[in-house]
Amino acid sequence: MGLYTPEEISNARRNIQRYAWARAERDTAIETCAPYMARSDGEIWDLITGQSIPRGIHVNPDLGCPECGRDVYAFGNYPWKVSLQRPYKLECPSCGEIWPKNDFETFYKSGLGPGGIFDRKLADESLLYNAENANAPHYAVDDGMGWIDESGNRWWFIAYYSHYCTWKELPAAALALGKAYLYTGDTAYAHKGAVILDRIADVYPDMDLTPYSDLGLYNSHGSTGMGRITGCIWENGMAETLSLSYDMISEGIEDDNELVRFLSAQAEKWQIAQPKSSIAHIRENIKHGLLREFIRSCRDRRIRGNEGMTQTAMATAAAVLDDPRETPKALDWLFEPGKSRGTGGGHIPATLIGEVDRDGVGNEAAPGYCFGWMNAFARCAWILDRCRKYRDYDLYRDYPRLKRMYSAPYRLTALDRYTPHIGDTGNTGGEGMVSVERQTIISAYARLGDPDLARLAYKLNGNSTDGLHTSIFDAAPEAIQKTVLEIAKQHGELELKSENLNGYGLTVFRHGEGHDQRAAWLYYGRNGGHGHRDRLNIGMYYRGMDVLPDLGYPEYADSKWPKRAGWTTNTISHNTVMVNRQQQEVNWIGHCQYFATSQSIGVVEIASPEVYPDTRDYRRTLAMIDVSPTESYLIDFFRVNGGNDHIMSFHAGEGDVTTQGIDLTPQEKGTYAGKTISFGTHYDGPPDGRYRGSGFAYLYGVHRAENPTAGWWANWKLADTWKTQHGDTPLHLRYRVLSNAENAALAWGDPPQNKPGNPRRVRYVLLRNASADRKSLFASIIEPYREGQPHIADATRIDLGTEERDIAAAAIKITTHTGRTDHILSSDDPNRVFHLTEGISAAGRFAIISRDNGQTSIFLVGGTRVNTTSGTLRIGTPTHRGTVTDFHREETGPAWVEIEGDLPPDKRLIGTQIRILNDGIRDACYTISDIVSLENNKVRVEVGDTSFIRGLASREDYEEGFTYNISTGDPCEIQNAVHLHIANGKVETLCATVDYEWT
Ligand SMILES: [Zn+2]
Ligand SMILES: [Zn+2]
């Protein structure tokens, strides 16, 4: 049938005449093809190797390069330089050595047997020698199965070449040849593409990765060892690319007698069984050797990737096969129940309803992986659109969460520059927004019509519509510009505000404008899979820089690399608390206790004791508070109750650290684990991905202090590692410790060293309390500032008269250099009044009282009272409470929940969060979009375009229907917030969700 209609193909060729961007797309395809167009058919055919040549993604992952060792990894995970111009050779980007030392190409050719397949037994042994050095004849000689050195280490040079050159470049070339043919109509491109596809189809049915995995070769297969040419994960790309390529070139070979002549001659020469004596035979060979094999392997799991990948690979192969008997069956498979790692079908319903959360984020924690789902399912949806003659499947119509997936990537970002490096994402502090791409967004807008997508596309295009376009295959691809411009003018620039993405588990505070924008985030979502054990981790951006960088993507995201589980994904390397020298347990999400924002302030509290079953309380309260229109500080209270060892781990970015108010002694040897335990030792667990221990042995260069008293600080002079800083004045970050600890330490920890540009090391602060059935309340202030211009002059813990071990409340007084004082209270009891000194007292979950030059600001969340010398604030109802009696049960909004109880239909609650106390499996905070009165003491709370559907009741039987995130009878609550500004006896209400009294 052809995925592209004749009309679309002529649109593309016409657009190339009209638009420079379309010509650029054509030119890219032609440039990629050029090296292949310059080769003869025979030369191209010879490049393709069979099952007997292994594929692997590492030469030797532990040792690096035989010459320069691990220095090679400064150039990336997969750093070796390969080129089809230099057959079977790898160049080390670090030392420049070329490997292997033998002439493998000649050896390979000497061993070609029936089918044109290399057979080691036929090859000329005498060719296996070091061609560079006669004195070391066996050194670095690879016969295809790797070189084994004197110490028994195996070096897979040829396998690496095969994987990264042969099997990366040829599929890419096939796709580019297909595009070049579509764009130009020149059948020479189709011809070359067919040579590649036909030859791969010859060898593909015998391709199987398992025997090589059994030999210890690494590949992309998520530890299953399965795959065809590559691992079962990356194999999806192979299947999709080769299927698309065939679709594009198929028509162009219709009258290609030269192709028949060449391939028939090759078949005869090499005794290839498949007939090649007509174009029909060649097409059948490609269908048989590729498309049907892809379909088969999606079923047998040798093609099995992250969600979206396999469904798309299957759909593409099925659509291109275009067989009235086989195609519908393969399409139906996409929707059949199954488990991604088990048996059954492509389980699209379970994925797009249950595994994508209500914010539109996939379930892999790390943005890079989660948003991969969106891109893959978008391609899948496009393929299914083309298959309507077989089946009426429409992902956008039937799975509304796919639409939400497009707005999700941008909603996570900050400063129009960063996506938080959550889980296996990015490097240590570098910039970049994950999956926020102009072309994806504009296509999504064209498809979905969401005005926010138009505004985002406009913004990503530099606040302009110049050059904005939809697909090259559209009749009028620039027609979109007009409506985008209208929407941009009507709605203005798209600006993100502070937000709590409770489906995903991320709070982002966003303050300031332009270069003064700053943001802080607290992540409380999934911490398994591609997530790190990082529940309640925090981050911050300031003056263009990531000042609290997560370490990001590990050296290798596989289950063998010891440092991944030992350190990079371990709880201890994150800005959070480790309990009992163990990593956190994995679960879906923490529980938001409250989230409130007003002008120049935001606060959130998240509890997550499930990640440490020994704890009764594991909870962080984080507030971002402005001290001026350009500057903010963070205040952080972290409570832990239970377990017998609590460590608050904190690190900022690269840079020298100085301290004040603490007397640190260097530990001469060893690591944080002890003087006798050396770096990287998994002394408390297995040396691989199963490790769940402390990771202490990855912290080195330790300085320690016993019983430091509250009030000391560590100060990072931050290096501008990624050249992202605004302005020339160096930036600093000061971490003020306002709680006592049994001991404190500073130590170095290493970011992944194979991500080019990553810092060599960053300095950690570790605050530790270790005694039986411990309670801890770690209180601190995080203050980024420009050199010489800190804002905070002094900060002290206020004595609340409570017992040392009482973690129910804590308070801090801050004095700024401009003379402002902030009194801050975090308490578990809305009614208990605490005296905060200087005539101030407060009762509430969170309160800040700022006094500056005779003016007073009060921000009170979930509280009843604040007394100041200028007056008293009283609130009758700190928290509205009710019970869920009914709720919206559809997948699309506007969603609503009906509540009985003392909840007033008060429009001031619009924009605040209602928290439903559900079963705790996922969290249930929703932003109120409207609230209306019903009969019988009930209200209806509307919460916008979201869904209460949690997923399907059964992964095996979809007929069992949905499960919901909330139930009738669940209690619910809204924490009230009041923000007042008092100057000259006049009270200004900055925010109030409830009636209050000021006297
Ligand atoms: Zn080297
Ligand atoms: Zn991390």
Side-chain angles (χ1 to χ4, degrees):
M1 71 186 167
L3 293 172
Y4 298 92
T5 64
E7 190 190 349
E8 286 174 323
I9 293 167
S10 63
N11 287 343
R13 291 178 191 166
R14 192 174 62 247
N15 288 330
I16 285 164
Q17 305 294 319
R18 288 156 68 188
Y19 302 117
W21 57 262
R23 282 191 289 283
E25 279 187 38
R26 176 199 62 187
D27 294 347
T28 302
I30 288 176
E31 279 163 33
T32 311
C33 300
Y36 302 89
M37 297 304 287
R39 287 173 189 254
S40 72
D41 292 351
E43 286 169 328
I44 287 176
W45 199 90
D46 289 344
L47 295 172
I48 294 158
T49 50
Q51 165 69 359
S52 52
I53 301 300
R55 290 78 63 188
I57 59 172
H58 298 303
V59 170
N60 183 312
D62 302 322
L63 300 176
C65 167
E67 182 68 26
C68 67
R70 299 191 53 82
D71 288 358
V72 66
Y73 292 125
F75 295 82
N77 289 22
Y78 312 114
W80 300 90
K81 293 191 199 169
V82 290
S83 162
L84 288 170
Q85 309 298 334
R86 195 165 53 194
Y88 303 105
K89 293 289 183 187
L90 313 184
E91 181 184 334
C92 174
S94 174
C95 68
E97 279 293 314
I98 310 282
W99 311 96
K101 296 298 182 188
N102 56 314
D103 177 1
F104 182 80
E105 187 182 27
T106 306
F107 177 71
Y108 169 80
K109 285 183 175 163
S110 77
L112 291 178
I117 301 293
F118 174 76
D119 181 347
R120 175 74 172 78
K121 293 194 290 294
L122 302 177
D124 181 354
E125 260 335 276
S126 73
L127 293 166
L128 287 176
Y129 60 90
N130 180 345
E132 290 179 20
N133 184 350
N135 295 326
H138 305 299
Y139 179 76
V141 171
D142 187 344
D143 68 352
M145 295 305 287
W147 165 55
I148 298 174
D149 69 16
E150 289 151 5
S151 315
N153 303 305
R154 200 162 187 165
W155 305 81
W156 295 98
F157 303 118
I158 298 304
Y160 187 98
Y161 177 90
S162 167
H163 185 105
Y164 278 104
C165 203
T166 309
W167 293 116
K168 192 167 168 220
E169 301 213 357
L170 285 161
L175 185 63
L177 287 160
K179 287 181 181 173
Y181 169 65
L182 282 194
Y183 292 158
T184 63
D186 181 346
T187 54
Y189 294 113
H191 173 91
K192 281 284 191 274
V195 171
I196 295 175
L197 292 170
D198 176 77
R199 183 56 184 154
I200 299 177
D202 289 345
V203 301
Y204 197 82
D206 289 331
M207 288 290 196
D208 185 31
L209 199 68
T210 312
Y212 295 116
S213 300
D214 292 346
L215 289 171
L217 259 178
Y218 283 75
N219 217 301
S220 164
H221 49 55
S223 306
T224 64
M226 293 170 74
R228 301 292 304 257
I229 291 175
T230 67
C232 60
I233 300 173
W234 290 353
E235 195 79 21
N236 288 279
M238 182 80 67
E240 191 183 345
T241 298
L242 295 177
S243 301
L244 286 173
S245 167
Y246 177 61
D247 175 75
M248 291 172 178
I249 60 124
S250 179
E251 184 236 337
I253 57 171
E254 183 68 34
D255 303 313
D256 194 342
N257 296 325
E258 175 54 25
L259 183 70
V260 175
R261 195 203 57 75
F262 170 71
L263 292 177
S264 314
Q266 290 295 91
E268 192 176 342
K269 178 178 172 191
W270 294 107
Q271 304 136 53
I272 293 169
Q274 299 91 319
K276 303 286 176 74
S277 55
S278 70
I279 289 296
H281 280 138
I282 292 164
R283 285 186 175 142
E284 188 51 33
N285 188 45
I286 294 171
K287 285 183 180 182
H288 175 77
L290 295 179
L291 303 177
R292 291 193 180 97
E293 288 292 315
F294 298 149
I295 290 170
R296 180 158 84 107
S297 271
C298 287
R299 294 182 188 274
D300 72 21
R301 259 58 188 183
R302 284 183 293 172
I303 298 181
R304 180 198 63 72
N306 305 56
E307 293 296 353
M309 289 183 179
T310 311
Q311 293 91 343
T312 306
M314 181 69 139
T316 310
V320 176
L321 181 62
D322 195 17
D323 180 285
R325 202 174 50 83
E326 297 167 72
T327 299
K329 271 199 237 170
L331 295 176
D332 289 343
W333 178 90
L334 301 179
F335 299 88
E336 288 165 11
K339 287 192 171 145
S340 62
R341 284 170 196 274
T343 52
H347 57 265
I348 282 180
T351 304
L352 286 184
I353 296 171
E355 298 301 320
V356 173
D357 65 44
R358 62 182 202 262
D359 291 322
V361 186
N363 80 356
E364 302 199 57
Y369 287 92
C370 297
F371 300 149
W373 293 25
M374 170 189 83
N375 292 322
F377 279 116
R379 299 197 303 278
C380 188
W382 180 82
I383 295 282
L384 291 174
D385 275 349
R386 309 271 148 162
C387 295
R388 290 298 172 83
K389 73 173 176 183
Y390 293 122
R391 287 289 188 264
D392 181 31
Y393 289 130
D394 182 337
L395 295 187
Y396 292 101
R397 179 194 65 202
D398 301 335
Y399 301 96
R401 250 171 245 212
L402 184 57
K403 296 180 194 165
R404 277 185 218 131
M405 290 177 95
Y406 288 98
S407 45
Y410 187 61
R411 286 175 74 198
L412 265 61
T413 65
L415 276 57
D416 282 323
R417 189 168 205 181
Y418 289 100
T419 296
H421 286 180
I422 293 162
D424 294 343
T425 298
N427 48 29
T428 309
E431 66 181 314
M433 294 194 285
V434 176
S435 290
V436 182
E437 284 138 12
R438 185 184 55 185
Q439 206 51 43
T440 307
I441 298 296
I442 198 73
S443 304
Y445 168 65
R447 168 98 206 194
L448 306 171
D450 174 356
D452 280 355
L453 292 173
R455 294 163 76 198
L456 179 54
Y458 186 77
K459 184 173 197 167
L460 294 172
N461 199 44
N463 293 319
S464 155
T465 56
D466 288 352
L468 273 186
H469 61 86
T470 53
S471 165
I472 193 171
F473 295 101
D474 290 345
E478 293 202 350
I480 200 93
Q481 293 179 9
K482 186 163 169 279
T483 50
V484 170
L485 187 63
E486 280 165 12
I487 289 166
K489 279 185 177 163
Q490 189 190 337
H491 296 272
E493 191 176 344
L494 186 64
E495 293 285 357
L496 294 170
K497 301 209 167 10
S498 295
E499 191 172 11
N500 184 29
L501 295 161
N502 184 257
Y504 176 54
L506 179 74
T507 298
V508 189
F509 298 118
R510 303 180 177 96
H511 293 188
E513 289 178 356
H515 284 186
D516 297 321
Q517 281 183 74
R518 59 253 179 232
W521 53 262
L522 193 169
Y523 177 62
Y524 60 98
R526 283 140 283 179
N527 62 343
H530 281 291
H532 296 174
R533 305 299 177 106
D534 63 350
R535 181 64 50 79
L536 306 186
N537 188 26
I538 58 172
M540 189 177 198
Y541 310 107
Y542 172 70
R543 299 204 62 74
M545 255 170 77
D546 184 346
V547 295
L548 297 181
D550 192 70
L551 301 182
Y553 207 95
E555 267 102 351
Y556 299 102
D558 65 38
S559 59
K560 293 181 181 171
W561 186 247
K563 194 178 155 198
R564 182 193 193 199
W567 172 246
T568 315
T569 71
N570 197 338
T571 306
I572 195 73
S573 73
H574 293 85
N575 284 333
T576 187
V577 171
M578 170 173 269
V579 176
N580 286 0
R581 302 168 300 279
Q582 290 285 317
Q583 305 184 15
Q584 296 171 347
E585 302 278 314
V586 168
N587 90 342
W588 188 282
I589 200 163
H591 306 290
C592 182
Q593 310 297 296
Y594 59 85
F595 165 77
T597 61
S598 182
Q599 187 181 301
S600 71
I601 189 162
V603 62
V604 66
E605 184 170 291
I606 311 288
S608 195
E610 296 92 341
V611 296
Y612 279 118
D614 291 339
T615 63
R616 293 172 286 281
D617 196 358
Y618 182 82
R619 177 163 51 115
R620 188 165 216 164
T621 311
L622 183 75
M624 183 151 107
I625 296 164
D626 289 357
V627 287
S628 74
T630 64
E631 310 291 335
S632 308
Y633 64 84
L634 304 181
I635 191 137
D636 180 32
F637 298 104
F638 204 129
R639 291 165 166 89
V640 188
N641 180 0
N644 52 31
D645 190 333
H646 304 160
I647 299 174
M648 162 65 88
S649 177
F650 180 86
H651 68 279
E654 182 181 19
D656 293 332
V657 175
T658 51
T659 57
Q660 183 172 297
I662 187 168
D663 198 10
L664 290 154
T665 311
Q667 173 183 310
E668 277 166 27
K669 288 189 305 202
T671 59
Y672 190 62
K675 285 179 199 163
T676 58
I677 298 174
S678 58
F679 181 81
T681 315
H682 286 201
Y683 65 96
D684 54 349
D688 55 35
R690 294 168 297 161
Y691 182 76
R692 295 292 172 262
S694 67
F696 292 168
Y698 288 94
L699 288 157
Y700 60 97
V702 182
H703 287 56
R704 292 181 187 270
E706 295 303 314
N707 296 305
T709 10
W712 65 277
W713 49 251
N715 192 91
W716 281 253
K717 180 173 180 173
L718 293 167
D720 186 9
T721 309
W722 301 98
K723 306 286 173 271
T724 49
Q725 179 193 327
H726 296 311
D728 298 328
T729 313
L731 302 185
H732 288 240
L733 186 132
R734 190 166 292 177
Y735 182 62
R736 287 176 183 265
V737 178
L738 292 170
S739 43
N740 297 335
E742 289 175 23
N743 66 69
L746 264 64
W748 294 111
D750 291 347
Q753 292 300 299
N754 62 359
K755 304 293 175 283
N758 263 5
R760 175 65 192 84
R761 52 178 67 92
V762 291
R763 202 72 169 145
Y764 278 73
V765 168
L766 302 141
L767 308 169
R768 187 171 193 180
N769 292 322
S771 47
D773 201 24
R774 179 75 211 195
K775 288 182 186 176
S776 295
L777 193 159
F778 296 102
S780 57
I781 298 168
I782 298 157
E783 179 197 9
Y785 62 95
R786 288 177 248 201
E787 187 160 287
Q789 303 164 58
H791 336 297
I792 297 176
D794 189 38
T796 52
R797 186 79 173 265
I798 298 168
D799 181 1
L800 296 177
T802 53
E803 282 180 41
E804 167 83 23
R805 290 289 186 93
D806 187 352
I807 62 170
I812 284 170
K813 180 192 168 189
I814 289 169
T815 309
T816 72
H817 281 291
T818 60
R820 176 173 126 179
T821 59
D822 293 348
H823 287 76
I824 296 153
L825 172 71
S826 165
S827 158
D828 294 346
D829 186 342
N831 298 302
R832 183 175 172 189
V833 178
F834 289 100
H835 295 283
L836 305 181
T837 71
E838 299 171 29
I840 298 170
S841 58
R845 300 293 301 273
F846 186 83
I848 169 166
I849 300 95
S850 292
R851 293 177 306 159
D852 190 8
N853 211 6
Q855 306 185 8
T856 303
S857 294
I858 300 170
F859 181 59
L860 180 64
V861 180
T864 47
R865 156 181 207 115
V866 172
N867 299 315
T868 71
T869 48
S870 12
T872 297
L873 167 70
R874 286 188 190 81
I875 297 171
T877 312
T879 310
H880 294 306
R881 296 184 196 280
T883 305
V884 174
T885 52
D886 196 7
F887 59 89
H888 181 70
R889 301 190 189 244
E890 307 301 316
E891 180 61 347
T892 46
W896 52 266
V897 53
E898 189 185 278
I899 289 162
E900 189 175 55
D902 296 330
L903 206 62
D906 190 332
K907 302 291 181 194
R908 289 177 296 185
L909 293 170
I910 292 171
T912 66
Q913 299 232 307
I914 181 166
R915 175 182 177 219
I916 298 167
L917 288 89
N918 66 354
D919 58 12
I921 291 173
R922 295 196 193 175
D923 209 26
C925 293
Y926 299 86
T927 303
I928 298 171
S929 58
D930 201 3
I931 185 163
V932 291
S933 185
L934 302 174
E935 289 171 0
N936 306 326
N937 190 30
K938 285 181 181 173
V939 293
R940 178 182 156 112
V941 176
E942 297 194 354
V943 293
D945 179 26
T946 186
S947 172
F948 295 115
I949 293 174
R950 182 182 284 165
L952 290 157
S954 165
R955 284 193 73 105
E956 275 79 39
D957 181 5
Y958 295 164
E959 297 301 313
E960 289 184 26
F962 301 125
T963 58
Y964 293 91
N965 200 32
I966 58 174
S967 308
T968 55
D970 282 346
C972 64
E973 62 183 37
I974 299 169
Q975 299 294 347
N976 280 309
V978 172
H979 193 188
L980 305 180
H981 182 74
I982 303 113
N984 306 319
K986 285 197 189 126
V987 181
E988 182 191 358
T989 308
L990 300 174
C991 124
T993 62
V994 65
D995 292 335
Y996 65 87
E997 238 181 75
W998 173 257
T999 51

